[in-house]
């Protein structure tokens, strides 16, 4: 995890992941060129440019899909695990696409390629003259710059040094890049297409991404809106002890939201409950959906671990997350609304009659 | 972190073995995604816009003999076996016209010049262009084909697209359309002769060299905004030994002129 930074931290799962990724991309390029050989004749460099461009956009749609899909089913978690390798690969494909277009369309002329690009951008027609005049290369270029910033800062080194907030914000740029790329294709390749199916495919892909994110957002929002009763001293009621015990398997957590926005994970471990922040210190993964493995809460996204009663990663790691106090009154479980500073140990709240079971 | 002795159940952790439920699911889901991607690869090509029958015979050097012409663009008038004459446009390698090379060789007083030119053929729909070879591609001397006057066709209105002749004739496939615009612009800026392409009523593609009203090349600045956009060109047309040429008196956006004129021809 975070003791030292290595270029990329490899493990068998990541290697298998990358092998499959390389296999699918190689397969894509092979299918593309075989299909091209049997279709209309196209210049080889233009083919390569199209192959890289379409592969990049298909990969981006996949990348943007697995996040919200994982909100609906944990089966997608395995895809999330190594998502940044997908992102970096996607950037490389987009870069190859741009480099080929630069060499082929802007090379061999009376202007230097970069001068030619700049001249093209500065002299392009006004967007008000119709779709045929809207310059599409600057849209692609802007997306590429964003994707580059993201690929360059994808390592955990940057996550730590830029602070997770800034990092997350920067990486939300992927949605800006996606919008730019949809426009890049719509005002570029689609203007030359004769088959209307391409426009429908782009529209369908865009609609899929938007709908998926709205659906995932609505699901979160619903979960966030549960009204919680408060005790006289401000402690927040999270429910009947019996129900919570029933709903939560040993080693698992009940995820609750308090104050309309704060995520808390109530972990059941050895007949007691510990409350920790539901947000992973790494990239904000949902700790409420994690599991206790070897005595540590394990994040479902990349497997960061925490000792539930301490709010800290086990040594030698030093990630810390906020903890919460719990108390039982009558048959109701309450959580203190004030989070303890990250890494503050809080004794687990024993549940009478619940035997400690080993995980 | 510690290596685990826990049973892998349905909880995925990257550094632990993938739970079997996840594994089964991914064995269906990932091939499905790959299949969709491969379908995209096939469709991108199967439904691509046709690119014409242009060829660019790089590597197969040929020599053509005929009358060297410098205006409006460098070309060679080559006698065919049947006695007719064909005009072959001459260009340099890359995105460069051959003006600088050809103009000094042709006197402006109307004296005809015989020459042979060495290079690589670019051809589409029976129209040919010669990309001049690197070193000394033009040798003066040889036999001149018969003289012929241009045949006037009269007023025309052409709705089509302005392209650079070199890419369109076969160097790039496709050598037209919006994606190719910057390339066409760079070619025309570099002296490659511009052409207007359009569809004839019978659906076949037509190309005419595009020049100014006085028959001289159009200035790049006048042409630049219209390259690779849907345009309507009004002017007069003539045939130079079977090669069409339009002297443009007006170039406008296709939709504007169409609105002003009713449907163009
Ligand atoms: S978000 Fe990466 S491990 Fe939790």
């Amino acid at each position: 995890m975070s003791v030292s930074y290595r270029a990329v931290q490899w493990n068998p799962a990541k290697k298998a992941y990358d092998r499959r990724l390389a296999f699918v991309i190689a397969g894509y390029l092979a299918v593309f060129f075989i299909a091209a050989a049997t279709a209309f004749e196209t210049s080889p460099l233009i083919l390569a440019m199209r192959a890289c461009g379409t592969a990049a956009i298909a990969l981006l749609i996949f990348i943007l899909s697995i996040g919200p899909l994982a909100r609906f089913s944990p089966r997608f978690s395995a895809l999330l695990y190594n998502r940044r390798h997908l992102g970096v690969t996607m950037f490389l494909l987009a870069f190859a696409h741009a480099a080929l277009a630069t060499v082929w369309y802007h090379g061999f002329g009376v202007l230097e390629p970069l001068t030619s690009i700049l001249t093209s951008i500065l002299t392009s027609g006004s967007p008000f003259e119709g779709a045929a005049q809207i310059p599409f290369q600057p849209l692609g270029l802007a997306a590429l710059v964003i994707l580059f910033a993201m690929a360059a800062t994808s390592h955990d080194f940057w996550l730590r040094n830029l602070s997770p907030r800034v990092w997350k914000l920067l990486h939300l740029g992927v949605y800006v890049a996606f919008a730019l790329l949809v426009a890049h294709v719509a005002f570029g390749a689609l203007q030359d297409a004769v088959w209307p199916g391409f426009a429908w495919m782009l529209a369908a892909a865009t609609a899929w991404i938007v709908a998926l994110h709205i659906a995932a957002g609505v699901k979160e929002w619903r979960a966030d809106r549960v009204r919680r009763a408060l005790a006289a001293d401000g402690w927040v009621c999270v429910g009947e002890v019996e129900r919570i015990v029933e709903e939560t398997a040993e080693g698992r957590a009940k995820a609750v939201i308090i104050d309309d926005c704060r995520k808390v994970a109530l972990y059941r471990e050895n007949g007691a409950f510990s409350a920790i922040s539901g947000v992973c210190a790494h990239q904000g993964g949902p700790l409420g959906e994690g599991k206790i493995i070897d005595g540590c809460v394990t994040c479902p996204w990349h497997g960061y671990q925490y000792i539930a009663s301490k709010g800290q990663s086990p040594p030698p790691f030093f990630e810390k997350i906020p903890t919460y106090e719990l108390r039982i009154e009558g048959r109701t479980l309450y959580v203190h609304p004030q989070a303890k500073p990250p890494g503050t140990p809080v004794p687990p709240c024993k549940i009478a009659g619940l035997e400690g079971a080993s995980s | 972190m510690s290596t685990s002795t826990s049973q892998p159940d349905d909880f995925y952790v990257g550094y632990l073995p993938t739970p079997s439920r996840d594994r089964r699911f991914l064995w269906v889901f990932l091939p499905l995604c790959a299949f969709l991607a491969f379908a995209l690869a096939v469709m991108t090509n199967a439904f691509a816009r046709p690119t014409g029958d242009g060829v660019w015979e790089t590597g197969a050097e040929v020599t053509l003999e005929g009358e060297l012409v410098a205006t409006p663009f460098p070309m060679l008038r080559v006698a065919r076996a049947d006695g007719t004459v064909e005009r072959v446009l001459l260009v340099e390698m890359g995105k460069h016209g051959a003006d600088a090379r050809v103009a000094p060789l042709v006197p402006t007083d109307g004296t005809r010049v015989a020459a042979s030119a060495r290079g690589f053929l670019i051809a589409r729909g029976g129209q040919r262009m010669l990309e001049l070879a690197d070193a000394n591609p033009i040798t003066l001397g040889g036999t001149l084909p018969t003289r012929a006057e241009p045949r006037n066709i009269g007023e025309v209105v052409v709705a089509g697209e302005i392209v650079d002749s070199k890419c369109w004739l076969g160097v790039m496939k496709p050598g037209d359309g919006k994606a190719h615009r910057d390339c066409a612009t760079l070619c025309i800026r570099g002296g490659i002769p511009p052409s207007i392409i359009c569809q004839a009523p019978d659906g076949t593609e037509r190309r005419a060299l595009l020049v100014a009203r006085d028959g001289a090349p159009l200035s790049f600045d006048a042409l630049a905004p219209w390259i690779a956009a849907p345009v309507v060109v009004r002017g007069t047309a003539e045939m130079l030994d079977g090669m069409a040429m339009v002297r443009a008196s007006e170039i406008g956006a296709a939709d504007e002129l169409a609105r002003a004129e009713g449907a163009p021809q």
Side-chain angles (χ1 to χ4, degrees):
Chain A
M1 266 192 257
S2 52
V3 165
S4 64
Y5 297 108
R6 266 173 281 145
V8 177
Q9 291 162 354
W10 293 103
N11 61 32
K14 284 192 186 177
K15 283 189 187 146
Y17 195 110
D18 288 356
R19 261 200 310 278
R20 271 167 222 155
L21 176 61
F23 177 80
V24 172
I25 288 176
Y28 182 88
L29 298 179
V31 170
F32 197 96
F33 278 90
I34 292 168
T38 59
F40 304 109
E41 204 182 315
T42 308
S43 303
L45 274 178
I46 293 181
L47 270 188
M49 186 176 81
R50 288 180 180 173
C52 291
T54 51
I57 211 136
L59 189 52
L60 182 59
I61 288 163
F62 181 77
I63 293 170
L64 290 178
S65 301
I66 54 183
L69 282 175
R71 309 301 312 150
F72 291 103
S73 162
R75 302 278 84 78
F76 293 97
S77 299
L79 298 171
L80 232 45
Y81 180 60
N82 212 11
R83 186 162 46 166
R84 13 180 152 177
H85 288 201
L86 296 182
V88 172
T89 308
M90 188 264 157
F91 164 74
L92 292 176
L93 285 166
F95 182 79
H97 169 81
L100 287 164
T102 303
V103 169
W104 200 225
Y105 288 150
H106 296 272
F108 315 106
V110 284
L111 300 178
E112 287 297 314
L114 294 183
T115 317
S116 169
I117 291 177
L118 211 65
T119 314
S120 155
I121 292 175
L122 295 178
T123 59
S124 53
S126 125
F128 303 108
E129 291 166 36
Q133 290 293 345
I134 294 175
F136 66 99
Q137 293 95 333
L139 300 169
L141 187 64
L144 195 66
V145 169
I146 295 175
L147 294 171
F148 172 74
M150 291 177 49
T153 59
S154 66
H155 196 270
D156 270 359
F157 171 82
W158 288 102
L159 176 62
R160 182 165 298 268
N161 282 280
L162 292 172
S163 89
R165 256 187 71 106
V166 174
W167 192 87
K168 192 95 204 169
L169 210 67
L170 178 69
H171 283 240
L172 283 179
V174 71
Y175 294 105
V176 181
F178 177 67
L180 287 167
L181 287 179
V182 169
H184 172 73
V185 175
F187 295 118
L190 286 189
Q191 296 297 314
D192 290 341
V194 283
W195 186 57
F198 289 125
W200 286 112
M201 281 160 70
L202 184 70
T206 311
W208 157 257
I209 294 296
V210 171
L212 200 57
H213 281 79
I214 290 178
V218 166
K219 187 165 184 255
E220 291 270 285
W221 179 74
R222 283 239 180 88
D224 288 4
R225 269 171 38 100
V226 184
R227 284 259 146 256
R228 301 204 172 274
L230 299 183
D233 54 2
W235 285 59
V236 183
C237 160
V238 288
E240 295 270 296
V241 178
E242 251 166 67
R243 287 254 336 248
I244 294 174
V245 169
E246 230 173 73
E247 288 168 2
T248 317
E250 172 69 22
R252 291 296 191 133
K254 178 175 172 63
V256 298
I257 311 267
I258 59 170
D259 284 357
D260 284 345
C261 63
R262 243 152 352 108
K263 297 187 166 111
V264 178
L266 310 179
Y267 267 93
R268 174 173 167 189
E269 188 182 17
N270 301 328
F273 274 86
S274 293
I276 54 172
S277 161
V279 182
C280 180
H282 178 224
Q283 280 179 32
L287 283 184
E289 291 162 29
K291 189 191 169 194
I292 294 181
I293 296 175
D294 298 333
C296 292
V297 168
T298 307
C299 175
W301 278 12
H302 313 93
Y304 272 41
Q305 292 191 306
Y306 308 90
I307 298 168
S309 57
K310 293 188 176 154
Q312 294 182 19
S313 293
F317 305 101
F318 49 72
E319 269 68 33
K320 290 189 170 91
I321 45 169
T323 49
Y324 290 85
E325 277 180 302
L326 290 174
R327 81 169 183 222
I328 295 173
E329 246 180 52
R331 299 166 61 187
T332 312
L333 185 65
Y334 289 89
V335 60
H336 194 288
Q338 186 69 51
K340 299 252 174 210
T344 312
V346 172
C349 177
K350 286 256 177 251
I351 310 285
L354 199 60
E355 286 306 308
S358 65
S359 55
Chain B
M1 287 264 140
S2 55
T3 52
S4 174
T5 50
S6 332
Q7 294 299 307
D9 60 357
D10 61 343
F11 184 72
Y12 177 85
V13 187
Y15 44 80
L16 299 179
T18 308
S20 52
R21 256 180 83 188
D22 285 10
R23 203 188 293 265
R24 277 198 305 278
F25 168 74
L26 293 177
W27 266 111
V28 176
F29 180 71
L30 290 182
L32 186 76
C33 290
F35 174 79
L36 285 176
F38 295 169
L40 173 70
V42 171
M43 284 159 86
T44 305
N45 288 291
F47 296 110
R49 191 165 52 101
T51 52
D53 65 350
V55 289
W56 181 23
E57 293 174 348
T58 46
E61 199 176 274
V62 295
T63 304
L64 300 178
E65 189 186 308
E67 178 186 350
L68 194 61
V69 177
T71 55
F73 295 103
M75 20 187 160
L76 201 65
R77 295 183 66 234
V78 180
R80 290 197 188 97
D82 64 1
T84 58
V85 175
E86 170 194 9
R87 295 231 178 186
V88 179
L89 288 165
L90 303 178
V91 294
E92 299 284 358
M93 292 192 167
K95 299 172 187 175
H96 302 276
D99 280 302
R101 193 193 296 277
V102 171
L105 302 176
V106 183
T108 46
D109 62 1
T111 316
R112 302 209 294 153
V113 179
S116 52
R118 204 160 45 76
F120 310 97
L121 281 172
I122 300 163
R124 177 170 181 171
Q127 303 175 356
R128 301 200 294 171
M129 168 183 266
L130 190 71
E131 179 183 52
L132 295 171
D134 246 344
N136 305 317
I138 297 180
T139 319
L140 295 183
T143 36
L144 286 168
T146 51
R147 189 193 282 275
E149 291 304 317
R151 184 164 58 84
N152 205 341
I153 293 179
E155 297 271 323
V156 287
V157 181
V158 188
E161 179 182 335
I162 297 172
V163 297
D164 73 280
S165 310
K166 187 177 180 180
C167 286
W168 189 81
L169 282 172
V171 168
M172 294 233 186
K173 306 187 85 175
D176 58 345
K178 191 177 175 186
H180 183 262
R181 178 186 295 167
D182 285 352
C183 179
T185 306
L186 194 55
C187 281
I188 292 172
R189 186 194 280 271
I192 303 287
S195 289
I196 172 100
I197 53 164
C198 66
Q199 270 203 345
D202 62 0
T204 55
E205 59 191 25
R206 298 281 173 83
R207 181 185 67 88
L209 217 51
L210 188 63
V211 294
R213 203 199 319 229
D214 61 1
L218 284 153
S219 81
F220 172 74
D221 291 332
L223 261 179
W226 306 114
I227 296 169
V231 291
V232 170
V233 173
R234 291 150 49 86
T236 56
E238 59 203 80
M239 298 298 282
L240 313 170
D241 303 313
M243 176 195 280
M245 184 170 93
V246 170
R247 295 168 180 249
S249 50
E250 192 185 349
I251 304 176
D255 40 0
E256 274 167 39
L257 250 124
R259 242 178 279 129
E261 302 274 322
Q265 81 171 42

